[in-house]
Amino acid sequence: MSTQINPDASPSLDTSAILTGKARGRHNASAGGQADRVKRRLTSRWATVAAIMIAFLWTIPTFGLFVASFRPQENKRQGWWTIFLDWFPTMENYGKVLGGTSISNDNLASYFINSFVITIPGTIFPLLLALMAAYAFAWIPFRGRGILFVLVFALQIVPLQMALIPLLQFFNGVDIGGTYLAVWIAHTIFGLPLAIFLLHNFVSEIPGELVEAARVDGASQTQIFFRIIIPLSLPAIASIAIFQFLWVWNDLLVALVFSGGSADVAPLTAKLANMAGNFGRNEHLLPAGAFISIIVPLIVFFALQRYFVRGLLAGSTKG
Amino acid sequence: MWQKFGVMFAGLLIFLAVIGLILFLADHAPKRGRDYVQMFVFVAPALILLGVGLIYPAIRTMMQSFTNAQGDFIGLENFVWIFTDSGSLISLRNTVVWVILVPLLSTVFGLAYAVFIDKSRGEKVLKSLVFMPMAISFVGAGIIWSFMYAYRSKGFEQTGLLNQLLVWSGLEPIQFLNSAPLNTFFLIVVLVWIQTGFAMVVLSASIKAIPVEQVEAAVLDGANGWQVFTNVTLPSIRGSLVVVVTTITIATLKVFDIVKTMTSGNNDTSVVALDMYNQAFRFNEWGHGAALAVVIFVLVLPIVIYNVRVLRKQREIR
Amino acid sequence: MTHSAKHRRWLLPIAFMSATGLLLAGCSNGSSDSETGGGDAAADCADYEQYGTFDGDEVEVYATIVDVEADQLQQSWADFEDCTGITVKYNGDQEFETQINVRVEGGSPPDLAIIPQPGLLQRMIDTGKVVDPPQSVEDNVDKWWSESWKTYGSKDGKFYAAPLMASVKGWVWYSPADFTDRGVEPPKTLDELNSLTAELAKDNSSDTYRPWCVGFESGTATGWPGTDWIEDYVLRQQGPEVYDKWVAGEVKFDSDEIRQAFDSVGEIILDPVNVNGGFGDVKTINSTTFQDAGLAILDGNCSLHHQASFYEAQWPEGTKVAEDGDVWAFLLPNEEEGQGDAVTGGGEFVAAFSDSKATQALQTYLSSDLWANNRVKLGGVISANKGLDPNNAQSPIGKEAVRILQDDKTTFRFDASDLMPAAVGSASFWTGIVDWVNGESTDKVLQGIDATWP
C-alpha cells in the first residue's frame, strides 16, 4: 500500500497539536469543499447511527438522575422511568436541599458560594504561574532547563494523598490553615505540573520569528510575555482553564483537608459527600443535591465549549 | 456572601499585583545578569510551590515507606506486607486490571467516536453529550451509577435501570457490585464513562488536524474507510494517542473516590489508591500508606520514562 | 461586645424558631416537646455561672454528627453560649474518622473532638496531642458516670475524655399488631427467639414475606450492623469476661466461643427461609441500607429487625413507637430467663486538643448532668449520665433505654468493634461480615479477621 504517507513513526508528545490542531493541519482550510466531500464519503450513515446510539447511552445515567431529582419522596422505591407513566414531578427535593435539611449544615447556597470563591482563583493562579514557567522553559535558555522540565512533568505522578499532610503542616506553620488562601495555594500546586506541561508544548510552538523580532525591537521578557505569548496562547489557556475549573470544582479531597471542612470555607462537594454518607436518610434528596453540584460545570462547559473547541481546533480553522 | 466574594477579589488583585510587581522589577534589574534574574522570576514561583507541595512530600513519603507506624526504620517490611497480605494483593491485581482496561477502553471508544462523528450532522451536540460526564465529579458519578446499578430481588420492583432492563428481557436481576470479579468491571465502566469524553475531544481535534491532502491521496489510491483509518489517521494522531493514554493511565492509578463511594472496596473491589488512603488516614498506618504510594509511583514510572524519552527525541529533532 | 456576639443575639431567636420547626418536621416519632429545652429565650444563667464568662472566645467542636442531630447538639449549648459569651463553632463531617487523623497530624486539630469510638480515641491519645482534661471534667465523670464508661475514656489508667451520649444496641424491632395477628409473643430466651423465627417462617402468606429483615449496607462502614449481631450473641452466650478478652485480642475470632456466636447468628440470617423480608435473598443483606431494612415491617414483609435504639429516628413520620403503637422493640433475650439485662451499646467521647479556658469550660459543661438533661430533652438521643432524669427522654424507647443504662443489674459492654484496633474493628470485621453474608465459610472469615489483628 502506498498510502502510508506519514512514515514518521516516532510518536511525538505534541500536545500543541491537540490543543490547537496546529501542527499538521495548517494548510487544509483552503481545500474547502473538496475536503468535505472526501470526508463525507468516509463517514457512513451507519457510523452516524452508531454515534447517536453511543451519545444516547452515555447520557442515560445523567438523565436518569435528573428525572429522579423531581421524584417525590414516597416514590423513591420506584425506578425513575416510571415518572413517564405517572407524571408526578415535584420541586420539593430542590427546595429541601437548597433550603437546607438542617441549620447547622447551612443551606447549599452558602456552599455554592464557597465553591465559586475557591474555584475562580484556583483556576487563575495556577494558569498564570504555569504560563510564566512554560514561557521560561520554552524561550529563555538557561542551564538545566531540560532536566527541570522533565522533573516538573514527572511530578504528575506524586499521589495527591501523600502531599496532604506535609502541606497542611506547612500551612499551619505559616498560620493560614483552614482559610481560602490555603485551599487556593493547594489547588495551584496540584494543578501546576499538568498545566506547565501542556502549556509548554503549546508555547514552544509559537513561531520563533515573532519572539526574535520583538527581542530585536528591544522588548523585555515581560513585554514579550504579555504582548506575544499570552495573546497567542489564548486558545490553549481557554481549554486548560476549563479543565482546571472542572477539576477544582469537582475536587473533594483537597477541599476537605485544607478547608478544615468548616461550612465557612468548604465547597459543595464536601456537603454532597456528607449527604451521600447519610444515604439512607437522604436517598430521595441525593439526586437533587448531585444535580445542583453538576449544574455549574455543565453550564461552564456548554457555555464555553465554543472557546474550548476553538482552542482545540484553532490551527485547522485558522489555516 | 459579598464578604466572601470580596475576599476572592482581594486575593486575585493581590496575586496579580505581586506577579506584576516582580515582573516589573525583573525588567529593571541591573543589566548585568538581567537575563538570569528574569529567568528566575518566571520559573521560581512555580518551582517554589512545587518544591513545598510536591517534591518535599514525595521525598518524605519515600522515607516513610521504610518506617512503621511509630516512625522506626524497619527496612522493606512494609513492602513485604504489600506483597503478602491477601487484601493488598487483591488491590494490586485490581489496579492492574483498571490500568489496562480504563485507558484501553476509553481510548478505543473515544477514538471510534471521534472517527464516527467527524463531520457528521449534529457533531457538536453529540460530542457535548459524550463529553458531559467529564464535567461531573467522581462523587456525583458514583451517585449516578449507584442508582444505575441498584438491585432488588426478583419479584420486587426494580429501582435501577440496568436491572429493570434485565427483568424486562426476562432475565434475573444481578447484584452488579456484589460478586467478584465482575464487580470490578462494573466499577471500571464508571471511569470509562467519564474518560471517554476526554479521549474523544482530544483525538477528534487531532483528527481534524490531519491534512486533507493525505486523506485525499489515500482515497484516490483506492483505499477504503478502514484502510484510510489505519494507514493515514492512526499514524498521524499517534502523538495525541500517547498523551491521551498517558493522562488517563495516571488518572486511573490515582482514582479512589469511585470505589470508595460505590463499594468502599468491599467484595474484593479495592484498589491500591484506596488502600493507601485507608491505611494512612483511617488506620494511621503511615508506613503502609507510604509504601503503597511508592508502589503507585513505581507503576507509573515506565510511563514517565517512555514519555521523557519521547520528549528528548522531540527536542533533538528541533 | 464583639461584632459576632451581637450578631448572634439577632440570629438566635430566628434560629430557634426554625430549629423547632425542623424538629417537628424531622422528628419521625412526632413526639417533639413544644418546650424545647435549651430553646428558652430567657435562659436562667445561674446554672452557667460556674463556667465563668468570656469575651467572645471561640471553641471549635468537630464531630461526625450532621443534619438534624447537629442542630439539636448546637441547641444543647445555646444557653451556655449566651451566658458565658463563648461562641461554639460546630463542624460536622461524615469523613470525620479520616479527617481527624489528617488534622491532628497536620497540626490543626479542633479544640474539641467528639469521637464516636474508644478505639479511635486510644489512637488519638497515642499521638500525644490529646490534652489532659481539667480536674472539673474528671470530677464530673467520677460523679455522673459508671466506672466502665470512665475506663473507655482512659488509657493506661489515665483519664482523658468524658463520655457524651449513649445508645443501647441489641433491640429487636417488631410490630405489636403483627405479633397479635400471628399469635406470637416476644421471646424470653435465645432458644425462644429461634423457635419464634421458625414459627414465623412457616407463614408463607406472600412471596416477599420472611420473618427477618436485615440490612448491612452503610457506605464505607458497610457490615457494621452485622458486627452488632455477633457482639450481642458473644455477650449473651459467653458472658462479659469472654467478651472483654475478645476485645483485647486474647480470645481469637477463630475460637470456639466466637464461632458459636457466628453459628447462632448464621442460623438466623444466613437461612433463606428467614431472610430477607421485603428485599429478597440472603445476599441482599449487603445491599440493603441499615436505614431501610426495618421499614419492611411496616409493609408487612417481615416481623423482626435487629437494630440499636437510635433506629427510632428511621421510622417515617407518623409512626407511633410504643408498646401499643405501630412498632416497638424488645431487647435481644439472654440465654436463660431472668439473668438480668446484658446489653451492648455505643457512645461518644469528648477529647480536647486545646487547653484554653473556654475549651475547658465547654468540656466541663458537656460532661455535666446539666448538659445531659438539656440534650436528651431535645429528643433523639439518650445518655448514660446518671444524673439524667429518665423522664427527659422524649420517647418510650428512650426512657426504656435510660432505665436499662441506669439499672445497676445491667451488664453493659461497649460495642466491641468500636473498641478493637481500627484495622479490625472498622475494617476486617466489617468486611469479614460482608464476605460471610456473601457465602464465604465461617472458618475462612474468622481466620481472615484474625490475620489483620495488628
Side-chain angles (χ1 to χ4, degrees):
Chain A
M1 259 278 163
S2 58
T3 45
Q4 174 122 13
I5 294 170
N6 189 353
D8 170 25
S10 81
S12 73
L13 246 187
D14 198 350
T15 337
S16 57
I18 294 161
L19 292 169
T20 60
K22 200 180 205 171
R24 298 186 188 87
R26 233 164 246 167
H27 21 260
N28 70 353
S30 56
Q34 201 190 355
D36 282 352
R37 215 170 52 235
V38 173
K39 288 235 172 164
R40 205 165 293 144
R41 258 188 62 192
L42 297 174
T43 320
S44 79
R45 198 156 299 230
W46 286 112
T48 311
V49 172
I52 292 174
M53 293 277 290
I54 295 181
F56 180 72
L57 284 179
W58 245 248
T59 316
I60 281 268
T62 319
F63 180 72
L65 183 83
F66 183 63
V67 173
S69 68
F70 295 106
R71 294 156 44 79
Q73 181 171 4
E74 56 273 20
N75 292 65
K76 70 170 184 182
R77 297 253 162 280
Q78 297 169 10
W80 54 264
W81 50 91
T82 57
I83 202 169
F84 298 112
L85 306 173
D86 177 11
W87 187 248
F88 43 67
T90 169
M91 292 301 287
E92 204 181 311
N93 299 331
Y94 282 92
K96 273 195 193 148
V97 169
L98 284 171
T101 46
S102 70
I103 332 160
S104 50
N105 267 352
D106 252 322
N107 43 38
L108 271 189
S110 103
Y111 290 89
F112 216 83
I113 292 164
N114 292 342
S115 274
F116 274 110
V117 175
I118 288 172
T119 308
I120 295 170
T123 307
I124 294 176
F125 287 11
L127 264 179
L128 185 58
L129 293 181
L131 198 60
M132 285 163 57
Y135 169 60
F137 282 128
W139 292 105
I140 308 178
F142 59 91
R143 266 173 142 230
R145 79 173 172 173
I147 290 172
L148 218 51
F149 180 66
V150 165
L151 178 76
V152 169
F153 169 76
L155 282 178
Q156 277 187 74
I157 64 174
V158 177
L160 192 56
Q161 290 92 330
M162 284 302 146
L164 296 180
I165 287 180
L167 204 53
L168 192 61
Q169 284 170 344
F170 170 75
F171 286 147
N172 288 317
V174 295
D175 208 20
I176 57 167
T179 63
Y180 283 123
L181 188 58
V183 185
W184 293 337
I185 295 178
H187 274 305
T188 304
I189 291 173
F190 298 134
L192 273 177
L194 190 64
I196 293 179
F197 173 67
L198 294 178
L199 282 170
H200 167 265
N201 289 325
F202 186 89
V203 168
S204 60
E205 286 284 319
I206 288 173
E209 311 90 62
L210 280 176
V211 181
E212 279 314 311
R215 244 178 228 159
V216 172
D217 285 350
S220 70
Q221 301 282 19
T222 308
Q223 284 165 330
I224 296 176
F225 180 69
F226 280 109
R227 291 202 193 135
I228 296 178
I229 304 297
I230 290 189
L232 285 182
S233 314
L234 275 180
I237 294 175
S239 349
I240 296 170
I242 292 176
F243 273 118
Q244 177 73 9
F245 183 94
L246 294 180
W247 149 250
V248 175
W249 184 276
N250 288 333
D251 154 80
L252 172 64
L253 194 58
V254 173
L256 214 51
V257 171
F258 296 106
S259 71
S262 82
D264 294 345
V265 182
L268 214 46
T269 39
K271 163 78 178 171
L272 188 66
N274 269 347
M275 278 178 68
N278 216 347
F279 188 80
R281 181 183 289 173
N282 293 327
E283 200 183 344
H284 59 294
L285 298 179
L286 215 45
F291 211 81
I292 291 170
S293 81
I294 293 172
I295 200 80
V296 170
L298 284 188
I299 290 173
V300 166
F301 171 67
F302 282 119
L304 298 182
Q305 86 171 320
R306 198 181 336 157
Y307 302 96
F308 186 57
V309 175
R310 193 184 289 163
L312 290 162
L313 301 178
S316 53
T317 50
K318 212 164 35 190
Chain B
M1 165 179 179
W2 298 116
Q3 200 186 351
K4 284 180 179 172
F5 282 116
V7 169
M8 181 182 87
F9 284 119
L12 283 171
L13 279 179
I14 292 171
F15 172 75
L16 293 176
V18 168
I19 296 292
L21 186 70
I22 55 171
L23 287 178
F24 175 82
L25 288 180
D27 260 5
H28 294 81
K31 250 214 163 77
R32 252 189 66 205
R34 182 183 289 176
D35 280 354
Y36 189 77
V37 170
Q38 284 176 333
M39 176 279 294
F40 183 78
V41 161
F42 274 93
V43 195
L47 287 188
I48 291 170
L49 285 175
L50 290 176
V52 174
L54 289 175
I55 297 173
Y56 163 68
I59 295 170
R60 205 182 94 131
T61 301
M62 295 265 190
M63 305 204 324
Q64 224 171 15
S65 69
F66 299 104
T67 62
N68 64 10
Q70 281 73 45
D72 310 318
F73 182 80
I74 51 165
L76 289 174
E77 227 168 85
N78 290 324
F79 294 93
V80 172
W81 170 81
I82 292 177
F83 291 100
T84 51
D85 180 77
S86 63
S88 47
L89 281 176
I90 289 174
S91 304
L92 272 175
R93 183 200 68 194
N94 290 343
T95 301
V96 170
V97 176
W98 276 77
V99 160
I100 293 171
L101 284 185
V102 175
L104 184 75
L105 293 178
S106 309
T107 312
V108 168
F109 285 149
L111 179 59
Y113 201 73
V115 172
F116 284 163
I117 207 175
D118 198 36
K119 297 270 158 82
S120 86
R121 203 168 291 168
E123 175 176 353
K124 252 171 125 179
V125 177
L126 291 176
K127 265 172 142 179
S128 313
L129 290 179
V130 172
F131 187 79
M132 192 166 64
M134 272 299 283
I136 296 171
S137 66
F138 287 135
V139 180
I143 293 173
I144 288 177
W145 281 90
S146 301
F147 281 105
M148 285 293 280
Y149 288 140
Y151 165 85
R152 324 252 356 236
S153 281
K154 202 185 160 193
F156 290 91
E157 191 167 352
Q158 296 296 331
T159 53
L161 180 62
L162 292 177
N163 272 320
Q164 180 69 75
L165 290 175
L166 288 177
V167 170
W168 275 335
S169 20
L171 299 168
E172 301 257 321
I174 298 174
Q175 291 197 292
F176 288 100
L177 300 178
N178 237 347
S179 33
L182 270 180
N183 48 7
T184 291
F185 290 94
F186 293 120
L187 291 176
I188 286 175
V189 165
V190 182
L191 192 56
V192 171
W193 178 70
I194 294 174
Q195 296 288 358
T196 297
F198 170 74
M200 183 267 298
V201 170
V202 171
L203 295 175
S204 169
S206 179
I207 287 174
K208 288 189 187 304
I210 299 172
V212 185
E213 297 84 1
Q214 293 186 6
V215 183
E216 258 170 71
V219 173
L220 290 176
D221 278 357
N224 62 23
W226 176 250
Q227 286 165 332
V228 171
F229 174 72
T230 50
N231 293 332
V232 180
T233 313
L234 267 190
S236 316
I237 60 167
R238 210 166 151 175
S240 315
L241 274 175
V242 171
V243 173
V244 167
V245 171
T246 304
T247 314
I248 297 182
T249 307
I250 293 178
T252 306
L253 275 168
K254 290 184 183 172
V255 159
F256 75 105
D257 332 37
I258 292 178
V259 183
K260 186 164 172 283
T261 28
M262 294 188 67
T263 65
S264 324
N266 281 334
N267 303 317
D268 294 348
T269 53
S270 195
V271 290
V272 176
L274 179 63
D275 273 3
M276 170 173 78
Y277 179 82
N278 282 337
Q279 289 292 337
F281 298 135
R282 261 175 73 194
F283 312 145
N284 271 21
E285 291 281 356
W286 304 103
H288 284 175
L292 286 165
V294 172
V295 168
I296 294 185
F297 215 80
V298 171
L299 284 175
V300 198
L301 217 52
I303 306 167
V304 172
I305 292 174
Y306 177 72
N307 275 293
V308 166
R309 281 177 53 188
V310 170
L311 214 64
R312 280 257 171 85
K313 221 178 256 171
Q314 212 182 324
R315 280 185 173 248
E316 276 161 22
I317 294 167
R318 204 175 283 156
Chain C
M1 181 175 280
T2 64
H3 176 75
S4 65
K6 222 187 288 173
H7 201 54
R8 275 201 78 85
R9 274 281 138 95
W10 279 103
L11 278 176
L12 277 174
I14 304 167
F16 284 135
M17 271 164 59
S18 43
T20 318
L22 274 165
L23 285 176
L24 286 171
C27 254
S28 37
N29 56 28
S31 68
S32 283
D33 200 334
S34 56
E35 181 80 44
T36 34
D40 286 0
D44 184 4
C45 281
D47 289 345
Y48 298 94
E49 255 167 29
Q50 51 170 313
Y51 302 112
T53 49
F54 297 81
D55 189 18
D57 292 35
E58 242 187 40
V59 179
E60 192 204 350
V61 177
Y62 187 50
T64 48
I65 301 159
V66 296
D67 252 328
V68 182
E69 285 88 352
D71 292 342
Q72 294 168 328
L73 192 61
Q74 282 172 290
Q75 224 174 317
S76 74
W77 56 58
D79 284 346
F80 172 84
E81 286 180 286
D82 267 2
C83 295
T84 56
I86 293 173
T87 303
V88 182
K89 216 172 135 235
Y90 179 73
N91 193 346
D93 184 0
Q94 296 259 320
E95 290 286 311
F96 175 89
E97 278 143 50
T98 51
Q99 288 307 308
I100 188 71
N101 289 318
V102 174
R103 291 189 59 177
V104 170
E105 281 293 315
S108 60
D111 297 321
L112 290 178
I114 301 179
I115 300 177
Q117 299 153 359
L120 181 55
L121 173 66
Q122 301 288 322
R123 233 165 55 236
M124 286 294 115
I125 295 171
D126 284 340
T127 63
K129 305 271 168 56
V130 176
V131 176
D132 292 351
Q135 189 56 42
S136 50
V137 171
E138 188 159 2
D139 291 347
N140 270 341
V141 171
D142 286 336
K143 186 165 173 199
W144 299 118
W145 301 79
S146 70
E147 189 55 37
S148 63
W149 278 95
K150 189 183 178 186
T151 335
Y152 296 133
S154 309
K155 180 153 178 107
D156 303 329
K158 190 168 173 331
F159 172 74
Y160 285 94
L164 195 69
M165 293 173 268
S167 64
V168 173
K169 299 194 170 193
W171 296 94
V172 178
W173 293 86
Y174 70 101
S175 153
D178 173 63
F179 266 38
T180 317
D181 283 354
R182 296 178 195 271
V184 291
E185 276 182 9
K188 304 247 169 23
T189 65
L190 284 177
D191 282 341
E192 278 184 39
L193 182 69
N194 287 340
S195 40
L196 171 67
T197 303
E199 165 132 20
L200 291 171
K202 275 190 236 141
D203 182 352
N204 39 21
S205 49
S206 81
D207 287 347
T208 53
Y209 176 82
R210 296 284 186 284
W212 290 85
C213 36
V214 189
F216 290 173
E217 207 280 336
S218 177
T220 336
T222 297
W224 72 257
T227 65
D228 282 6
W229 271 93
I230 303 296
E231 289 155 11
D232 280 335
Y233 269 79
V234 171
L235 182 62
R236 284 164 179 76
Q237 292 177 330
Q238 313 296 339
E241 287 77 25
V242 172
Y243 190 92
D244 292 343
K245 283 185 184 160
W246 178 45
V247 166
E250 290 157 24
V251 169
K252 296 232 167 295
F253 276 81
D254 190 14
S255 65
D256 292 341
E257 290 92 337
I258 308 304
R259 189 177 288 106
Q260 195 194 340
F262 270 82
D263 289 344
S264 305
V265 174
E267 254 174 63
I268 293 178
I269 68 163
L270 296 187
D271 188 340
V273 175
N274 298 335
V275 294
N276 191 2
F279 298 98
D281 56 13
V282 172
K283 283 186 180 179
T284 57
I285 290 175
N286 284 335
S287 56
T288 305
T289 63
F290 81 92
Q291 294 101 328
D292 271 353
L295 303 184
I297 292 179
L298 298 178
D299 314 334
N301 276 325
C302 72
S303 296
L304 301 160
H305 177 62
H306 172 269
Q307 193 49 274
S309 56
F310 55 67
Y311 195 73
E312 193 187 356
Q314 298 299 334
W315 300 108
E317 235 169 283
T319 312
K320 190 176 173 205
V321 183
E323 202 157 1
D324 56 349
D326 301 318
V327 284
W328 187 238
F330 58 84
L331 210 51
L332 190 76
N334 240 315
E335 277 281 87
E336 303 196 8
E337 216 181 319
Q339 279 179 328
D341 291 325
V343 296
T344 57
E348 297 93 6
F349 297 85
V350 183
F353 294 95
S354 151
D355 56 2
S356 78
K357 287 276 169 279
T359 304
Q360 296 194 337
L362 180 60
Q363 204 183 353
T364 311
Y365 170 57
L366 290 176
S367 62
S368 69
D369 59 327
L370 176 62
W371 181 84
N373 281 301
N374 278 347
R375 174 63 190 92
V376 171
K377 247 189 259 174
L378 296 172
V381 298
I382 53 161
S383 169
N385 192 305
K386 283 189 277 191
L388 174 65
D389 177 358
N391 291 321
N392 276 336
Q394 293 297 302
S395 68
I397 200 88
K399 288 191 173 70
E400 185 66 12
V402 172
R403 185 194 63 75
I404 291 170
L405 284 177
Q406 292 185 342
D407 187 347
D408 288 337
K409 289 198 282 294
T410 303
T411 311
F412 179 86
R413 282 296 179 276
F414 209 93
D415 186 323
S417 60
D418 288 345
L419 294 168
M420 292 173 180
V424 178
S426 46
S428 63
F429 195 0
W430 291 348
T431 53
I433 290 284
V434 172
D435 294 341
W436 189 55
V437 169
N438 270 341
E440 186 81 88
S441 77
T442 309
D443 283 336
K444 257 188 126 174
V445 168
L446 295 177
Q447 286 154 11
I449 300 173
D450 278 333
T452 61
W453 195 285

